[in-house]
Amino acid sequence: MTTKFPAGTGRQLLDADEARVARASLELTTIAAALVSRPMDRDLHAQMRAFLDSESEPALTSWDALLARTQAQLKERISTVLTVQALRTAS
């Protein structure tokens, strides 16, 4: 049985902005949790600086793009993601 995904979704569940924000959120949460237990770890500080230097601005730009979506666009994305998830689960 061949699974068909809604147009424009392919095998990717999240679009570029959604994926970038999700990755950044996970990375920042990991860094923040590590800072609680190792606040003076130089390697952790270097990791945080590297994130801020390379990934922070693109993630913030993507976050702004997500915030700019209209209610109709958000509802459409939710519908698409739920449909793809359902198709993946069924296959």
mmCIF file with all atom_site columns, all heavy atoms in Angstrom, residues 42-68:
data_model
loop_
_atom_site.group_PDB
_atom_site.id
_atom_site.type_symbol
_atom_site.label_atom_id
_atom_site.label_alt_id
_atom_site.label_comp_id
_atom_site.label_asym_id
_atom_site.label_entity_id
_atom_site.label_seq_id
_atom_site.pdbx_PDB_ins_code
_atom_site.Cartn_x
_atom_site.Cartn_y
_atom_site.Cartn_z
_atom_site.occupancy
_atom_site.B_iso_or_equiv
_atom_site.pdbx_formal_charge
_atom_site.auth_seq_id
_atom_site.auth_comp_id
_atom_site.auth_asym_id
_atom_site.auth_atom_id
_atom_site.pdbx_PDB_model_num
ATOM 1   N N   . ARG A 1 42 ? 33.036 25.287 31.511 1.00 0.00 ? 42 ARG A N   1
ATOM 2   C CA  . ARG A 1 42 ? 33.521 26.080 30.371 1.00 0.00 ? 42 ARG A CA  1
ATOM 3   C C   . ARG A 1 42 ? 33.044 25.519 29.031 1.00 0.00 ? 42 ARG A C   1
ATOM 4   O O   . ARG A 1 42 ? 32.714 26.288 28.127 1.00 0.00 ? 42 ARG A O   1
ATOM 5   C CB  . ARG A 1 42 ? 35.037 26.171 30.393 1.00 0.00 ? 42 ARG A CB  1
ATOM 6   C CG  . ARG A 1 42 ? 35.560 27.053 31.496 1.00 0.00 ? 42 ARG A CG  1
ATOM 7   C CD  . ARG A 1 42 ? 37.066 27.235 31.387 1.00 0.00 ? 42 ARG A CD  1
ATOM 8   N NE  . ARG A 1 42 ? 37.578 28.038 32.475 1.00 0.00 ? 42 ARG A NE  1
ATOM 9   C CZ  . ARG A 1 42 ? 37.555 29.371 32.501 1.00 0.00 ? 42 ARG A CZ  1
ATOM 10  N NH1 . ARG A 1 42 ? 37.039 30.034 31.495 1.00 0.00 ? 42 ARG A NH1 1
ATOM 11  N NH2 . ARG A 1 42 ? 38.035 30.029 33.529 1.00 0.00 ? 42 ARG A NH2 1
ATOM 12  N N   . ASP A 1 43 ? 33.016 24.200 28.904 1.00 0.00 ? 43 ASP A N   1
ATOM 13  C CA  . ASP A 1 43 ? 32.544 23.596 27.651 1.00 0.00 ? 43 ASP A CA  1
ATOM 14  C C   . ASP A 1 43 ? 31.077 23.930 27.403 1.00 0.00 ? 43 ASP A C   1
ATOM 15  O O   . ASP A 1 43 ? 30.665 24.183 26.271 1.00 0.00 ? 43 ASP A O   1
ATOM 16  C CB  . ASP A 1 43 ? 32.746 22.084 27.659 1.00 0.00 ? 43 ASP A CB  1
ATOM 17  C CG  . ASP A 1 43 ? 34.212 21.683 27.607 1.00 0.00 ? 43 ASP A CG  1
ATOM 18  O OD1 . ASP A 1 43 ? 35.030 22.489 27.096 1.00 0.00 ? 43 ASP A OD1 1
ATOM 19  O OD2 . ASP A 1 43 ? 34.536 20.578 28.077 1.00 0.00 ? 43 ASP A OD2 1
ATOM 20  N N   . LEU A 1 44 ? 30.297 23.934 28.451 1.00 0.00 ? 44 LEU A N   1
ATOM 21  C CA  . LEU A 1 44 ? 28.880 24.278 28.327 1.00 0.00 ? 44 LEU A CA  1
ATOM 22  C C   . LEU A 1 44 ? 28.713 25.743 27.922 1.00 0.00 ? 44 LEU A C   1
ATOM 23  O O   . LEU A 1 44 ? 27.886 26.069 27.071 1.00 0.00 ? 44 LEU A O   1
ATOM 24  C CB  . LEU A 1 44 ? 28.159 23.992 29.643 1.00 0.00 ? 44 LEU A CB  1
ATOM 25  C CG  . LEU A 1 44 ? 26.663 24.194 29.674 1.00 0.00 ? 44 LEU A CG  1
ATOM 26  C CD1 . LEU A 1 44 ? 25.970 23.386 28.583 1.00 0.00 ? 44 LEU A CD1 1
ATOM 27  C CD2 . LEU A 1 44 ? 26.117 23.811 31.042 1.00 0.00 ? 44 LEU A CD2 1
ATOM 28  N N   . HIS A 1 45 ? 29.529 26.620 28.493 1.00 0.00 ? 45 HIS A N   1
ATOM 29  C CA  . HIS A 1 45 ? 29.492 28.036 28.112 1.00 0.00 ? 45 HIS A CA  1
ATOM 30  C C   . HIS A 1 45 ? 29.873 28.199 26.645 1.00 0.00 ? 45 HIS A C   1
ATOM 31  O O   . HIS A 1 45 ? 29.260 28.993 25.914 1.00 0.00 ? 45 HIS A O   1
ATOM 32  C CB  . HIS A 1 45 ? 30.415 28.869 29.016 1.00 0.00 ? 45 HIS A CB  1
ATOM 33  C CG  . HIS A 1 45 ? 29.829 29.149 30.358 1.00 0.00 ? 45 HIS A CG  1
ATOM 34  N ND1 . HIS A 1 45 ? 29.528 30.409 30.787 1.00 0.00 ? 45 HIS A ND1 1
ATOM 35  C CD2 . HIS A 1 45 ? 29.472 28.311 31.363 1.00 0.00 ? 45 HIS A CD2 1
ATOM 36  C CE1 . HIS A 1 45 ? 29.010 30.354 32.012 1.00 0.00 ? 45 HIS A CE1 1
ATOM 37  N NE2 . HIS A 1 45 ? 28.976 29.089 32.379 1.00 0.00 ? 45 HIS A NE2 1
ATOM 38  N N   . ALA A 1 46 ? 30.867 27.438 26.203 1.00 0.00 ? 46 ALA A N   1
ATOM 39  C CA  . ALA A 1 46 ? 31.278 27.491 24.791 1.00 0.00 ? 46 ALA A CA  1
ATOM 40  C C   . ALA A 1 46 ? 30.150 26.991 23.891 1.00 0.00 ? 46 ALA A C   1
ATOM 41  O O   . ALA A 1 46 ? 29.895 27.561 22.820 1.00 0.00 ? 46 ALA A O   1
ATOM 42  C CB  . ALA A 1 46 ? 32.541 26.660 24.578 1.00 0.00 ? 46 ALA A CB  1
ATOM 43  N N   . GLN A 1 47 ? 29.462 25.949 24.328 1.00 0.00 ? 47 GLN A N   1
ATOM 44  C CA  . GLN A 1 47 ? 28.322 25.425 23.556 1.00 0.00 ? 47 GLN A CA  1
ATOM 45  C C   . GLN A 1 47 ? 27.216 26.478 23.454 1.00 0.00 ? 47 GLN A C   1
ATOM 46  O O   . GLN A 1 47 ? 26.630 26.672 22.390 1.00 0.00 ? 47 GLN A O   1
ATOM 47  C CB  . GLN A 1 47 ? 27.793 24.157 24.231 1.00 0.00 ? 47 GLN A CB  1
ATOM 48  C CG  . GLN A 1 47 ? 26.639 23.509 23.528 1.00 0.00 ? 47 GLN A CG  1
ATOM 49  C CD  . GLN A 1 47 ? 26.126 22.288 24.289 1.00 0.00 ? 47 GLN A CD  1
ATOM 50  O OE1 . GLN A 1 47 ? 26.677 21.874 25.308 1.00 0.00 ? 47 GLN A OE1 1
ATOM 51  N NE2 . GLN A 1 47 ? 25.047 21.720 23.799 1.00 0.00 ? 47 GLN A NE2 1
ATOM 52  N N   . MET A 1 48 ? 26.961 27.165 24.547 1.00 0.00 ? 48 MET A N   1
ATOM 53  C CA  . MET A 1 48 ? 25.927 28.207 24.558 1.00 0.00 ? 48 MET A CA  1
ATOM 54  C C   . MET A 1 48 ? 26.325 29.364 23.636 1.00 0.00 ? 48 MET A C   1
ATOM 55  O O   . MET A 1 48 ? 25.512 29.848 22.849 1.00 0.00 ? 48 MET A O   1
ATOM 56  C CB  . MET A 1 48 ? 25.707 28.710 25.986 1.00 0.00 ? 48 MET A CB  1
ATOM 57  C CG  . MET A 1 48 ? 24.604 29.738 26.120 1.00 0.00 ? 48 MET A CG  1
ATOM 58  S SD  . MET A 1 48 ? 24.187 30.145 27.835 1.00 0.00 ? 48 MET A SD  1
ATOM 59  C CE  . MET A 1 48 ? 25.768 30.452 28.579 1.00 0.00 ? 48 MET A CE  1
ATOM 60  N N   . ARG A 1 49 ? 27.580 29.777 23.700 1.00 0.00 ? 49 ARG A N   1
ATOM 61  C CA  . ARG A 1 49 ? 28.050 30.853 22.818 1.00 0.00 ? 49 ARG A CA  1
ATOM 62  C C   . ARG A 1 49 ? 27.958 30.450 21.350 1.00 0.00 ? 49 ARG A C   1
ATOM 63  O O   . ARG A 1 49 ? 27.558 31.251 20.504 1.00 0.00 ? 49 ARG A O   1
ATOM 64  C CB  . ARG A 1 49 ? 29.490 31.228 23.168 1.00 0.00 ? 49 ARG A CB  1
ATOM 65  C CG  . ARG A 1 49 ? 29.613 32.115 24.360 1.00 0.00 ? 49 ARG A CG  1
ATOM 66  C CD  . ARG A 1 49 ? 31.041 32.639 24.504 1.00 0.00 ? 49 ARG A CD  1
ATOM 67  N NE  . ARG A 1 49 ? 31.215 33.170 25.832 1.00 0.00 ? 49 ARG A NE  1
ATOM 68  C CZ  . ARG A 1 49 ? 31.753 32.505 26.862 1.00 0.00 ? 49 ARG A CZ  1
ATOM 69  N NH1 . ARG A 1 49 ? 32.204 31.288 26.694 1.00 0.00 ? 49 ARG A NH1 1
ATOM 70  N NH2 . ARG A 1 49 ? 31.861 33.067 28.038 1.00 0.00 ? 49 ARG A NH2 1
ATOM 71  N N   . ALA A 1 50 ? 28.333 29.209 21.060 1.00 0.00 ? 50 ALA A N   1
ATOM 72  C CA  . ALA A 1 50 ? 28.272 28.719 19.679 1.00 0.00 ? 50 ALA A CA  1
ATOM 73  C C   . ALA A 1 50 ? 26.833 28.734 19.175 1.00 0.00 ? 50 ALA A C   1
ATOM 74  O O   . ALA A 1 50 ? 26.563 29.135 18.036 1.00 0.00 ? 50 ALA A O   1
ATOM 75  C CB  . ALA A 1 50 ? 28.858 27.316 19.586 1.00 0.00 ? 50 ALA A CB  1
ATOM 76  N N   . PHE A 1 51 ? 25.895 28.319 20.017 1.00 0.00 ? 51 PHE A N   1
ATOM 77  C CA  . PHE A 1 51 ? 24.487 28.361 19.627 1.00 0.00 ? 51 PHE A CA  1
ATOM 78  C C   . PHE A 1 51 ? 24.064 29.799 19.356 1.00 0.00 ? 51 PHE A C   1
ATOM 79  O O   . PHE A 1 51 ? 23.438 30.084 18.328 1.00 0.00 ? 51 PHE A O   1
ATOM 80  C CB  . PHE A 1 51 ? 23.589 27.748 20.700 1.00 0.00 ? 51 PHE A CB  1
ATOM 81  C CG  . PHE A 1 51 ? 22.136 27.926 20.389 1.00 0.00 ? 51 PHE A CG  1
ATOM 82  C CD1 . PHE A 1 51 ? 21.469 27.023 19.578 1.00 0.00 ? 51 PHE A CD1 1
ATOM 83  C CD2 . PHE A 1 51 ? 21.438 29.027 20.855 1.00 0.00 ? 51 PHE A CD2 1
ATOM 84  C CE1 . PHE A 1 51 ? 20.137 27.221 19.248 1.00 0.00 ? 51 PHE A CE1 1
ATOM 85  C CE2 . PHE A 1 51 ? 20.109 29.226 20.535 1.00 0.00 ? 51 PHE A CE2 1
ATOM 86  C CZ  . PHE A 1 51 ? 19.457 28.314 19.729 1.00 0.00 ? 51 PHE A CZ  1
ATOM 87  N N   . LEU A 1 52 ? 24.390 30.696 20.256 1.00 0.00 ? 52 LEU A N   1
ATOM 88  C CA  . LEU A 1 52 ? 23.985 32.089 20.095 1.00 0.00 ? 52 LEU A CA  1
ATOM 89  C C   . LEU A 1 52 ? 24.605 32.711 18.849 1.00 0.00 ? 52 LEU A C   1
ATOM 90  O O   . LEU A 1 52 ? 23.951 33.478 18.140 1.00 0.00 ? 52 LEU A O   1
ATOM 91  C CB  . LEU A 1 52 ? 24.349 32.898 21.342 1.00 0.00 ? 52 LEU A CB  1
ATOM 92  C CG  . LEU A 1 52 ? 23.558 32.539 22.606 1.00 0.00 ? 52 LEU A CG  1
ATOM 93  C CD1 . LEU A 1 52 ? 24.136 33.272 23.815 1.00 0.00 ? 52 LEU A CD1 1
ATOM 94  C CD2 . LEU A 1 52 ? 22.079 32.843 22.439 1.00 0.00 ? 52 LEU A CD2 1
ATOM 95  N N   . ASP A 1 53 ? 25.849 32.362 18.550 1.00 0.00 ? 53 ASP A N   1
ATOM 96  C CA  . ASP A 1 53 ? 26.532 32.914 17.377 1.00 0.00 ? 53 ASP A CA  1
ATOM 97  C C   . ASP A 1 53 ? 25.985 32.380 16.063 1.00 0.00 ? 53 ASP A C   1
ATOM 98  O O   . ASP A 1 53 ? 25.893 33.117 15.076 1.00 0.00 ? 53 ASP A O   1
ATOM 99  C CB  . ASP A 1 53 ? 28.037 32.628 17.439 1.00 0.00 ? 53 ASP A CB  1
ATOM 100 C CG  . ASP A 1 53 ? 28.740 33.441 18.507 1.00 0.00 ? 53 ASP A CG  1
ATOM 101 O OD1 . ASP A 1 53 ? 28.159 34.436 18.989 1.00 0.00 ? 53 ASP A OD1 1
ATOM 102 O OD2 . ASP A 1 53 ? 29.876 33.057 18.872 1.00 0.00 ? 53 ASP A OD2 1
ATOM 103 N N   . SER A 1 54 ? 25.615 31.114 16.023 1.00 0.00 ? 54 SER A N   1
ATOM 104 C CA  . SER A 1 54 ? 25.261 30.511 14.733 1.00 0.00 ? 54 SER A CA  1
ATOM 105 C C   . SER A 1 54 ? 23.776 30.241 14.528 1.00 0.00 ? 54 SER A C   1
ATOM 106 O O   . SER A 1 54 ? 23.289 30.329 13.406 1.00 0.00 ? 54 SER A O   1
ATOM 107 C CB  . SER A 1 54 ? 26.039 29.203 14.539 1.00 0.00 ? 54 SER A CB  1
ATOM 108 O OG  . SER A 1 54 ? 25.621 28.242 15.501 1.00 0.00 ? 54 SER A OG  1
ATOM 109 N N   . GLU A 1 55 ? 23.061 29.901 15.575 1.00 0.00 ? 55 GLU A N   1
ATOM 110 C CA  . GLU A 1 55 ? 21.680 29.446 15.395 1.00 0.00 ? 55 GLU A CA  1
ATOM 111 C C   . GLU A 1 55 ? 20.619 30.368 15.972 1.00 0.00 ? 55 GLU A C   1
ATOM 112 O O   . GLU A 1 55 ? 19.451 30.271 15.598 1.00 0.00 ? 55 GLU A O   1
ATOM 113 C CB  . GLU A 1 55 ? 21.519 28.049 16.006 1.00 0.00 ? 55 GLU A CB  1
ATOM 114 C CG  . GLU A 1 55 ? 22.406 27.008 15.352 1.00 0.00 ? 55 GLU A CG  1
ATOM 115 C CD  . GLU A 1 55 ? 22.284 25.648 16.024 1.00 0.00 ? 55 GLU A CD  1
ATOM 116 O OE1 . GLU A 1 55 ? 21.147 25.223 16.258 1.00 0.00 ? 55 GLU A OE1 1
ATOM 117 O OE2 . GLU A 1 55 ? 23.322 25.049 16.314 1.00 0.00 ? 55 GLU A OE2 1
ATOM 118 N N   . SER A 1 56 ? 21.009 31.238 16.845 1.00 0.00 ? 56 SER A N   1
ATOM 119 C CA  . SER A 1 56 ? 20.037 32.072 17.537 1.00 0.00 ? 56 SER A CA  1
ATOM 120 C C   . SER A 1 56 ? 19.242 32.977 16.594 1.00 0.00 ? 56 SER A C   1
ATOM 121 O O   . SER A 1 56 ? 18.007 32.999 16.625 1.00 0.00 ? 56 SER A O   1
ATOM 122 C CB  . SER A 1 56 ? 20.741 32.918 18.598 1.00 0.00 ? 56 SER A CB  1
ATOM 123 O OG  . SER A 1 56 ? 19.829 33.765 19.240 1.00 0.00 ? 56 SER A OG  1
ATOM 124 N N   . GLU A 1 57 ? 19.931 33.726 15.756 1.00 0.00 ? 57 GLU A N   1
ATOM 125 C CA  . GLU A 1 57 ? 19.236 34.675 14.874 1.00 0.00 ? 57 GLU A CA  1
ATOM 126 C C   . GLU A 1 57 ? 18.313 33.977 13.877 1.00 0.00 ? 57 GLU A C   1
ATOM 127 O O   . GLU A 1 57 ? 17.159 34.403 13.716 1.00 0.00 ? 57 GLU A O   1
ATOM 128 C CB  . GLU A 1 57 ? 20.234 35.594 14.177 1.00 0.00 ? 57 GLU A CB  1
ATOM 129 C CG  . GLU A 1 57 ? 19.579 36.806 13.529 1.00 0.00 ? 57 GLU A CG  1
ATOM 130 C CD  . GLU A 1 57 ? 18.736 37.638 14.506 1.00 0.00 ? 57 GLU A CD  1
ATOM 131 O OE1 . GLU A 1 57 ? 19.172 37.877 15.640 1.00 0.00 ? 57 GLU A OE1 1
ATOM 132 O OE2 . GLU A 1 57 ? 17.625 38.054 14.103 1.00 0.00 ? 57 GLU A OE2 1
ATOM 133 N N   . PRO A 1 58 ? 18.768 32.913 13.196 1.00 0.00 ? 58 PRO A N   1
ATOM 134 C CA  . PRO A 1 58 ? 17.833 32.212 12.302 1.00 0.00 ? 58 PRO A CA  1
ATOM 135 C C   . PRO A 1 58 ? 16.616 31.660 13.048 1.00 0.00 ? 58 PRO A C   1
ATOM 136 O O   . PRO A 1 58 ? 15.492 31.708 12.540 1.00 0.00 ? 58 PRO A O   1
ATOM 137 C CB  . PRO A 1 58 ? 18.674 31.076 11.707 1.00 0.00 ? 58 PRO A CB  1
ATOM 138 C CG  . PRO A 1 58 ? 20.080 31.543 11.814 1.00 0.00 ? 58 PRO A CG  1
ATOM 139 C CD  . PRO A 1 58 ? 20.131 32.376 13.069 1.00 0.00 ? 58 PRO A CD  1
ATOM 140 N N   . ALA A 1 59 ? 16.831 31.167 14.267 1.00 0.00 ? 59 ALA A N   1
ATOM 141 C CA  . ALA A 1 59 ? 15.713 30.637 15.053 1.00 0.00 ? 59 ALA A CA  1
ATOM 142 C C   . ALA A 1 59 ? 14.733 31.751 15.427 1.00 0.00 ? 59 ALA A C   1
ATOM 143 O O   . ALA A 1 59 ? 13.514 31.578 15.364 1.00 0.00 ? 59 ALA A O   1
ATOM 144 C CB  . ALA A 1 59 ? 16.216 29.928 16.302 1.00 0.00 ? 59 ALA A CB  1
ATOM 145 N N   . LEU A 1 60 ? 15.273 32.899 15.807 1.00 0.00 ? 60 LEU A N   1
ATOM 146 C CA  . LEU A 1 60 ? 14.405 34.033 16.146 1.00 0.00 ? 60 LEU A CA  1
ATOM 147 C C   . LEU A 1 60 ? 13.643 34.538 14.921 1.00 0.00 ? 60 LEU A C   1
ATOM 148 O O   . LEU A 1 60 ? 12.468 34.918 15.021 1.00 0.00 ? 60 LEU A O   1
ATOM 149 C CB  . LEU A 1 60 ? 15.220 35.159 16.781 1.00 0.00 ? 60 LEU A CB  1
ATOM 150 C CG  . LEU A 1 60 ? 15.749 34.871 18.188 1.00 0.00 ? 60 LEU A CG  1
ATOM 151 C CD1 . LEU A 1 60 ? 16.717 35.960 18.622 1.00 0.00 ? 60 LEU A CD1 1
ATOM 152 C CD2 . LEU A 1 60 ? 14.608 34.720 19.176 1.00 0.00 ? 60 LEU A CD2 1
ATOM 153 N N   . THR A 1 61 ? 14.281 34.533 13.776 1.00 0.00 ? 61 THR A N   1
ATOM 154 C CA  . THR A 1 61 ? 13.609 34.926 12.536 1.00 0.00 ? 61 THR A CA  1
ATOM 155 C C   . THR A 1 61 ? 12.471 33.954 12.225 1.00 0.00 ? 61 THR A C   1
ATOM 156 O O   . THR A 1 61 ? 11.363 34.370 11.849 1.00 0.00 ? 61 THR A O   1
ATOM 157 C CB  . THR A 1 61 ? 14.618 34.978 11.369 1.00 0.00 ? 61 THR A CB  1
ATOM 158 O OG1 . THR A 1 61 ? 15.614 35.949 11.689 1.00 0.00 ? 61 THR A OG1 1
ATOM 159 C CG2 . THR A 1 61 ? 13.943 35.348 10.064 1.00 0.00 ? 61 THR A CG2 1
ATOM 160 N N   . SER A 1 62 ? 12.729 32.666 12.398 1.00 0.00 ? 62 SER A N   1
ATOM 161 C CA  . SER A 1 62 ? 11.674 31.672 12.179 1.00 0.00 ? 62 SER A CA  1
ATOM 162 C C   . SER A 1 62 ? 10.551 31.831 13.195 1.00 0.00 ? 62 SER A C   1
ATOM 163 O O   . SER A 1 62 ? 9.379  31.682 12.865 1.00 0.00 ? 62 SER A O   1
ATOM 164 C CB  . SER A 1 62 ? 12.256 30.257 12.258 1.00 0.00 ? 62 SER A CB  1
ATOM 165 O OG  . SER A 1 62 ? 13.042 29.985 11.126 1.00 0.00 ? 62 SER A OG  1
ATOM 166 N N   . TRP A 1 63 ? 10.908 32.128 14.440 1.00 0.00 ? 63 TRP A N   1
ATOM 167 C CA  . TRP A 1 63 ? 9.894  32.348 15.480 1.00 0.00 ? 63 TRP A CA  1
ATOM 168 C C   . TRP A 1 63 ? 8.995  33.532 15.098 1.00 0.00 ? 63 TRP A C   1
ATOM 169 O O   . TRP A 1 63 ? 7.772  33.445 15.208 1.00 0.00 ? 63 TRP A O   1
ATOM 170 C CB  . TRP A 1 63 ? 10.583 32.601 16.819 1.00 0.00 ? 63 TRP A CB  1
ATOM 171 C CG  . TRP A 1 63 ? 9.638  32.854 17.954 1.00 0.00 ? 63 TRP A CG  1
ATOM 172 C CD1 . TRP A 1 63 ? 9.482  34.021 18.633 1.00 0.00 ? 63 TRP A CD1 1
ATOM 173 C CD2 . TRP A 1 63 ? 8.714  31.926 18.531 1.00 0.00 ? 63 TRP A CD2 1
ATOM 174 N NE1 . TRP A 1 63 ? 8.518  33.879 19.600 1.00 0.00 ? 63 TRP A NE1 1
ATOM 175 C CE2 . TRP A 1 63 ? 8.032  32.611 19.562 1.00 0.00 ? 63 TRP A CE2 1
ATOM 176 C CE3 . TRP A 1 63 ? 8.396  30.602 18.281 1.00 0.00 ? 63 TRP A CE3 1
ATOM 177 C CZ2 . TRP A 1 63 ? 7.055  31.995 20.343 1.00 0.00 ? 63 TRP A CZ2 1
ATOM 178 C CZ3 . TRP A 1 63 ? 7.425  29.986 19.059 1.00 0.00 ? 63 TRP A CZ3 1
ATOM 179 C CH2 . TRP A 1 63 ? 6.765  30.682 20.070 1.00 0.00 ? 63 TRP A CH2 1
ATOM 180 N N   . ASP A 1 64 ? 9.603  34.607 14.606 1.00 0.00 ? 64 ASP A N   1
ATOM 181 C CA  . ASP A 1 64 ? 8.817  35.762 14.158 1.00 0.00 ? 64 ASP A CA  1
ATOM 182 C C   . ASP A 1 64 ? 7.882  35.369 13.010 1.00 0.00 ? 64 ASP A C   1
ATOM 183 O O   . ASP A 1 64 ? 6.735  35.821 12.954 1.00 0.00 ? 64 ASP A O   1
ATOM 184 C CB  . ASP A 1 64 ? 9.732  36.908 13.717 1.00 0.00 ? 64 ASP A CB  1
ATOM 185 C CG  . ASP A 1 64 ? 10.448 37.563 14.885 1.00 0.00 ? 64 ASP A CG  1
ATOM 186 O OD1 . ASP A 1 64 ? 9.988  37.430 16.039 1.00 0.00 ? 64 ASP A OD1 1
ATOM 187 O OD2 . ASP A 1 64 ? 11.492 38.206 14.635 1.00 0.00 ? 64 ASP A OD2 1
ATOM 188 N N   . ALA A 1 65 ? 8.376  34.529 12.108 1.00 0.00 ? 65 ALA A N   1
ATOM 189 C CA  . ALA A 1 65 ? 7.542  34.069 10.986 1.00 0.00 ? 65 ALA A CA  1
ATOM 190 C C   . ALA A 1 65 ? 6.353  33.253 11.494 1.00 0.00 ? 65 ALA A C   1
ATOM 191 O O   . ALA A 1 65 ? 5.234  33.400 10.982 1.00 0.00 ? 65 ALA A O   1
ATOM 192 C CB  . ALA A 1 65 ? 8.370  33.243 10.009 1.00 0.00 ? 65 ALA A CB  1
ATOM 193 N N   . LEU A 1 66 ? 6.584  32.416 12.492 1.00 0.00 ? 66 LEU A N   1
ATOM 194 C CA  . LEU A 1 66 ? 5.479  31.632 13.053 1.00 0.00 ? 66 LEU A CA  1
ATOM 195 C C   . LEU A 1 66 ? 4.470  32.533 13.752 1.00 0.00 ? 66 LEU A C   1
ATOM 196 O O   . LEU A 1 66 ? 3.256  32.336 13.628 1.00 0.00 ? 66 LEU A O   1
ATOM 197 C CB  . LEU A 1 66 ? 6.011  30.577 14.029 1.00 0.00 ? 66 LEU A CB  1
ATOM 198 C CG  . LEU A 1 66 ? 6.899  29.489 13.442 1.00 0.00 ? 66 LEU A CG  1
ATOM 199 C CD1 . LEU A 1 66 ? 7.356  28.528 14.539 1.00 0.00 ? 66 LEU A CD1 1
ATOM 200 C CD2 . LEU A 1 66 ? 6.206  28.736 12.327 1.00 0.00 ? 66 LEU A CD2 1
ATOM 201 N N   . LEU A 1 67 ? 4.969  33.524 14.473 1.00 0.00 ? 67 LEU A N   1
ATOM 202 C CA  . LEU A 1 67 ? 4.068  34.452 15.169 1.00 0.00 ? 67 LEU A CA  1
ATOM 203 C C   . LEU A 1 67 ? 3.246  35.291 14.200 1.00 0.00 ? 67 LEU A C   1
ATOM 204 O O   . LEU A 1 67 ? 2.152  35.737 14.540 1.00 0.00 ? 67 LEU A O   1
ATOM 205 C CB  . LEU A 1 67 ? 4.865  35.375 16.092 1.00 0.00 ? 67 LEU A CB  1
ATOM 206 C CG  . LEU A 1 67 ? 5.495  34.718 17.316 1.00 0.00 ? 67 LEU A CG  1
ATOM 207 C CD1 . LEU A 1 67 ? 6.337  35.745 18.080 1.00 0.00 ? 67 LEU A CD1 1
ATOM 208 C CD2 . LEU A 1 67 ? 4.438  34.111 18.226 1.00 0.00 ? 67 LEU A CD2 1
ATOM 209 N N   . ALA A 1 68 ? 3.760  35.494 12.998 1.00 0.00 ? 68 ALA A N   1
ATOM 210 C CA  . ALA A 1 68 ? 3.065  36.321 12.006 1.00 0.00 ? 68 ALA A CA  1
ATOM 211 C C   . ALA A 1 68 ? 1.959  35.554 11.266 1.00 0.00 ? 68 ALA A C   1
ATOM 212 O O   . ALA A 1 68 ? 1.191  36.166 10.532 1.00 0.00 ? 68 ALA A O   1
ATOM 213 C CB  . ALA A 1 68 ? 4.065  36.871 10.997 1.00 0.00 ? 68 ALA A CB  1
#
